[in-house]
């Protein structure tokens, strides 16, 4: 299951927004916290203007902020992990 505890950015087309997701096995106790960043190309461009570079691991890149896209992106990661034999993998 996915339980997000994040807020929608004010500007939906130019943003770099940290996201926190609580992910665990449905119907079982316990979950772990994962951190992502939702960002638009315009938001990343603004971010780079303030510094020399920006590392992009864990980013969900989209033109306009949309919770459905965030959930689909994280679900995609979970689906890929579905072939793992245990949590550590």
């Amino acid at each position: 299951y996915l339980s997000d505890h994040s807020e929608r950015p004010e500007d939906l087309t130019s943003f770099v927004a940290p996201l926190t997701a609580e992910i665990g096995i449905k119907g079982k106790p316990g979950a772990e916290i994962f951190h992502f960043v939702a960002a638009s190309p315009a938001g990343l461009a603004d971010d780079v203007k303030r510094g020399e570079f920006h590392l992009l691991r864990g980013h969900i890149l989209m033109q306009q902020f949309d919770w459905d896209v965030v959930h689909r992106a994280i679900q995609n990661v979970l689906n890929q992990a579905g072939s793992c034999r245990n949590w550590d993998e």
Side-chain angles (χ1 to χ4, degrees):
Y1 70 91
L2 165 66
S3 173
D4 59 65
H5 305 285
S6 307
E7 294 183 24
R8 185 180 83 154
E10 287 183 31
D11 185 336
L12 300 181
T13 59
S14 181
F15 59 92
V16 176
L19 302 174
T20 302
E22 184 178 335
I23 299 173
I25 299 171
K26 191 173 189 170
K28 293 194 176 184
E32 289 196 38
I33 302 294
F34 292 85
H35 302 280
F36 299 92
V37 175
S40 67
L44 288 176
D46 288 342
D47 212 30
V48 171
K49 287 177 189 175
R50 292 187 290 271
E52 293 180 33
F53 62 90
H54 190 88
L55 298 175
L56 295 177
R57 186 173 187 208
H59 281 60
I60 302 168
L61 186 62
M62 61 184 90
Q63 288 292 334
Q64 181 170 337
F65 188 86
D66 182 333
W67 278 118
D68 289 335
V69 172
V70 170
H71 289 131
R72 282 197 326 262
I74 294 173
Q75 187 62 53
N76 186 306
V77 172
L78 295 174
N79 291 344
Q80 290 177 8
S83 63
C84 297
R85 290 174 287 173
N86 57 47
W87 186 254
D88 291 334
E89 286 184 359

